[in-house]
C-alpha cells in the first residue's frame, strides 16, 4: 500500500484524523474500504463506479482521498442544495480534520447570478407585468450592490423561484459576452475565474453536462480540466446528459425573445421598425401553436404529422420570427443588444426549420442516416407552453468521448447504481463498460427495523377501482401510525385521486390526520409543515421521490402506489424500445426494468435515513410479489423483512410505538442531523456490520 493509500485508510481509523477531530466518531469498515477504493482510483487516474448504501458515509469517503491527493478536483452533485451543503458543512469539516486548506469554489448556471446589465436595463425600461415586480427588482438591485457573489440563493427576502428573477439574470441567448458594458463586474465571470483558481470546484450535473455540450459547439469551457471528477448522486447523470446532448426549442424561448425584441427595439431603434407589432406577431404565433397542440401530453412524430393545424402554426411562428430577424438585422449596427437579437432570431429560426424538416422527412430519410438512428423528435405540451425536442437515444458515445481525453480519475457514486447487484445498465448508459464497479451495502439493520408490505387484493394498477382498493388497504395503517407517512404516486392524476380518497376518510374519521398535497404549496413549505405536524400525511409525486430526508418516527410509513415503469407510449421510451429490438435485445429487461428499479430504490430510500429509524414500506402493486421480474426489483431494494399480511404490519407499528425500536435507538443527534440534511456523515455509533462488498468489472 502506498503512503497516500495508507494516509487515506488511517484517516478513518479509530485514532485517525476524523476521530481526533470529531468526538464520538467510531470507525466504519465499509466507509474506510470505499475511501481506499476512491483513493486508488485517483492515484491511478482510473474509473470507479461505487454504489454505497445509505449510511455508508460516502461523502466523507470521497472527500478525504480527494483532499489528501492534492491537485484540482471537480465534485458534481445532483442538486444545488447538495452543492451548498458541501460548501457550508462537509468540506470545511473534513478539511479541518485533515489540517488542509483547499481553495473551494461553487459554480452554478448563469441563471443563478444577478446580471447587472439586464437588471439595469429592465429597471430603466419600466415595463412590468405585476406591480410588485419593480419593488422586488429594486431589492435585487440593492442586493447586487453589496453582494460579493450575486448568487440569487443569497438574496434576502426574495424567493429563488420568484418570476421577477427573469428580469435580473441572463441566459446564454441574451448574454452580451465580452462586449457587455458590465463585463468587468460580471458575477458569472467572477465565479468562473474563481473556479479556474480553486482546488475544489463544486458544480451540479446540469452545469457539468451543459459544459460538455457547449464544448461540442466550440464554446470555451466553463469548467477547468481537473485531475479528478467525482459525481455524487450519479444515478441522475444519464437523464441529465440526455437532456443536454439533445436539442430543444421552446415557446418560452420565443416569448422571451419577443419581449426582449420589443424592449430593446423600442429603446434603441424606435424609428426602425414596428417593434410592438413584430413582438405581438411572435406571441400570437406561440398562442396558436399551443392551442393546436391540444391537452398536455408527449406527442411523437407520427402524431404530430397528423396534426395539420400544429404544423401550420409552427410555420406561422417561424415566419413571424423571420420577420423579426430581418428588422433586428437592419438595426444591428446601433447596439450590441440589437446585434444579439439578430443572432438569437437566426438561431431560433434555424432550430425550428431543422426540427420541422426532420419530422417531415419520409421514413428512413430523417436527416443523415446516423442522425435518424441516434435521435427521436417529439413534442412536450405543457399547460402554458410547448417544447420541441430532438432527444438522443443514447449518450454513451458522447459522454465517453468527453471524459476519455486527458488522463484523470472519474468516480461515480450513489446509493442506487445497480440492479440486483449488477451495474450493466448504468455502465451502458454512460459508456463505462470498462470501469471498476463495486458495492458497499448499508450498515442499517433493515431486516429488523424495516418491513416491506405488498397488500393482497388491490388488483392491477391499471384496473378499475385500484386507487379505491389501495386507499382502503392503507387507511388502517395510517390511523395506527398516526399519519407520519408519505404516499408517493407515479402520476399527478394519482396524486389527485389518492388525496381525494384520503380526504374523505379524514373528514369521516377521528384520527385527526393532517393531509398535505403536492401542488397546494411549495415543496419546501410542505416539507417544513410535515416535519412540524403531529399526524401528517403527505401525498406527492416525482419531486418527493429523491433528495427528501425526514429522520426518525416522523416519517415511519411510506406508501408507493405502483411500480414506477415509464409510460410505454412515451415517445423516447418507445423509440428506445424499437432501437433495442433492432439490436436483438429485450427492451423490458434492457431498459424498462432497470429504470424502474432505480426509481423504486430512490423512493424506498426516503424511509430509513439513520440507524435508529424504523418503518414500513408499502408497495401497492401486486406485480412486485406475483411477477417473475418482481424478484429482480426486490433484490435491488435493501433487505427488508417482507409480508403480505396487514395484521403483521399493524403489529410492527404497535411494537414500534411501544418502544421496541431495535438496534441503534441510542444513536446520538450527530447521525440524525447528518441524515436530516442529506449527507451520509460518519456514524456516531458502531456499525452493525463491516459492510459487505461485492465487485464486478462487467454486467
Amino acid at each position: 500500500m502506498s503512503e497516500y493509500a495508507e494516509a487515506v485508510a488511517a484517516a478513518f481509523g479509530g485514532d485517525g484524523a476524523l476521530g481526533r477531530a470529531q468526538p464520538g466518531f467510531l470507525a466504519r469498515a465499509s466507509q474506510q474500504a470505499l475511501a481506499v477504493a476512491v483513493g486508488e482510483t485517483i492515484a491511478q487516474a482510473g474509473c470507479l463506479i461505487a454504489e454505497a448504501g445509505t449510511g455508508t458515509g460516502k461523502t466523507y469517503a470521497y472527500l478525504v482521498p480527494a483532499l489528501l491527493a492534492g491537485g484540482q478536483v471537480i465534485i458534481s452533485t445532483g442538486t444545488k442544495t447538495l452543492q451548498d451543503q458541501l460548501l457550508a458543512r462537509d468540506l470545511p469539516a473534513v478539511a479541518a480534520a485533515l489540517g488542509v486548506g483547499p481553495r473551494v469554489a461553487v459554480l452554478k448556471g448563469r441563471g443563478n447570478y444577478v446580471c447587472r446589465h439586464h437588471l439595469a436595463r429592465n429597471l430603466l425600461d419600466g415595463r412590468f407585468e405585476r406591480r410588485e415586480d419593480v419593488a422586488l427588482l429594486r431589492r435585487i438591485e440593492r442586493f447586487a450592490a453589496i453582494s460579493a457573489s450575486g448568487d440569487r440563493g443569497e438574496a434576502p427576502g426574495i424567493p429563488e423561484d420568484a418570476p421577477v428573477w427573469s428580469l435580473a439574470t441572463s441566459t446564454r441567448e441574451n448574454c452580451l459576452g465580452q462586449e457587455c458594458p458590465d463585463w468587468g463586474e460580471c458575477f458569472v465571470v467572477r465565479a468562473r475565474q474563481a473556479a479556474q483558481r480553486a482546488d475544489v470546484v463544486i458544480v451540479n450535473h446540469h452545469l457539468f453536462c451543459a459544459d460538455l455540450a457547449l464544448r461540442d459547439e466550440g464554446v470555451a469551457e466553463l469548467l477547468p480540466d481537473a485531475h479528478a471528477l467525482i459525481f455524487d448522486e450519479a444515478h441522475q447523470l444519464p437523464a441529465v446528459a440526455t437532456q443536454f446532448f439533445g436539442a430543444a426549442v421552446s415557446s418560452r424561448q420565443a416569448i422571451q425573445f419577443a419581449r426582449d425584441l420589443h424592449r430593446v427595439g423600442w429603446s434603441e431603434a424606435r424609428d426602425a421598425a414596428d417593434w410592438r407589432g413584430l413582438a405581438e406577431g411572435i406571441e400570437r404565433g406561440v398562442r396558436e401553436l399551443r392551442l393546436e397542440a391540444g391537452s398536455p401530453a408527449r406527442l411523437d412524430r407520427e402524431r404530430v404529422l397528423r396534426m395539420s393545424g400544429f404544423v401550420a402554426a409552427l410555420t406561422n411562428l417561424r415566419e413571424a420570427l423571420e420577420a423579426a430577424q430581418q428588422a433586428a438585422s437592419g438595426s444591428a449596427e446601433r447596439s450590441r443588444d440589437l446585434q444579439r437579437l439578430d443572432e438569437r432570431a437566426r438561431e431560433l429560426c434555424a432550430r425550428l426549420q431543422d426540427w420541422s424538416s426532420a419530422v417531415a422527412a419520409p421514413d428512413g430519410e430523417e436527416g443523415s442516416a446516423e442522425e435518424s438512428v441516434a435521435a427521436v423528435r417529439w413534442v412536450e405540451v405543457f399547460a402554458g407552453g410547448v417544447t420541441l425536442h430532438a432527444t438522443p437515444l443514447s449518450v454513451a458515445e458522447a459522454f465517453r468521448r468527453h471524459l476519455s481525453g486527458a488522463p484523470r480519475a472519474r468516480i461515480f457514486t450513489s446509493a442506487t447504481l445497480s440492479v440486483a447487484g449488477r451495474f450493466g445498465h448504468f455502465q451502458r448508459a454512460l459508456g463505462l463498460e470498462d470501469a471498476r464497479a463495486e458495492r458497499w451495502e448499508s450498515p442499517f439493520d433493515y431486516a429488523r427495523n424495516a418491513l416491506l408490505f405488498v397488500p393482497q387484493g388491490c388488483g392491477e394498477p391499471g384496473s378499475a377501482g385500484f386507487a379505491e382498493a389501495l386507499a382502503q388497504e392503507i387507511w388502517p395503517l395510517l390511523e395506527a401510525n398516526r399519519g407520519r407517512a408519505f404516499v408517493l404516486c407515479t402520476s399527478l392524476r394519482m396524486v389527485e385521486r389518492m388525496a381525494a380518497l384520503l380526504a374523505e376518510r379524514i373528514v369521516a374519521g377521528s384520527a385527526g390526520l393532517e393531509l398535505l398535497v403536492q401542488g397546494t404549496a411549495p415543496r419546501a413549505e410542505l416539507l417544513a409543515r410535515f416535519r412540524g405536524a403531529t399526524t401528517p400525511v403527505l401525498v406527492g409525486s416525482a419531486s418527493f421521490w429523491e433528495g427528501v430526508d425526514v429522520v426518525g418516527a416522523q416519517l415511519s410509513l411510506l406508501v408507493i402506489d405502483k411500480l414506477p415503469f415509464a409510460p410505454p407510449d412515451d415517445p423516447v421510451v418507445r423509440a428506445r424500445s424499437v432501437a433495442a429490438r433492432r439490436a436483438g435485445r429485450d427492451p423490458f429487461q434492457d431498459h424498462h426494468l432497470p429504470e424502474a428499479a432505480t426509481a423504486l430504490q430512490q423512493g424506498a430510500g426516503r424511509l430509513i435515513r439513520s440507524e435508529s429509524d424504523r418503518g414500513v414500506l408499502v408497495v401497492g402493486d401486486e406485480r412486485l410479489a406475483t411477477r417473475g421480474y418482481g424478484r429482480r426489483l426486490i433484490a435491488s431494494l435493501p433487505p427488508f423483512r417482507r409480508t403480505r399480511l396487514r395484521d403483521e404490519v399493524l403489529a410492527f407499528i404497535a411494537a414500534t410505538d411501544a418502544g421496541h425500536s431495535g438496534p441503534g435507538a441510542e444513536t446520538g443527534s450527530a447521525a440524525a442531523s447528518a441524515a436530516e440534511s442529506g449527507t451520509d456523515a460518519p456514524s456516531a455509533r458502531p456499525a452493525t456490520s463491516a459492510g459487505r462488498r461485492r465487485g464486478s468489472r462487467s454486467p
Side-chain angles (χ1 to χ4, degrees), residues 117 175-183 335-337 339 343:
H117 175 69
C175 175
L176 301 183
Q178 296 187 24
E179 297 183 36
C180 177
D182 294 294
W183 177 260
S335 76
R336 180 65 180 100
D337 279 312
Q339 182 181 342
E343 296 166 356

Side-chain angles (χ1 to χ4, degrees), residues 450 550 555-558 603-609 613 615-617 640:
V550 181
L555 176 55
S556 45
L557 176 60
L558 177 69
R606 300 312 98 211
L607 183 64
I608 304 297
R609 305 302 300 174
D613 277 8
V616 176
L617 169 65
F640 291 88

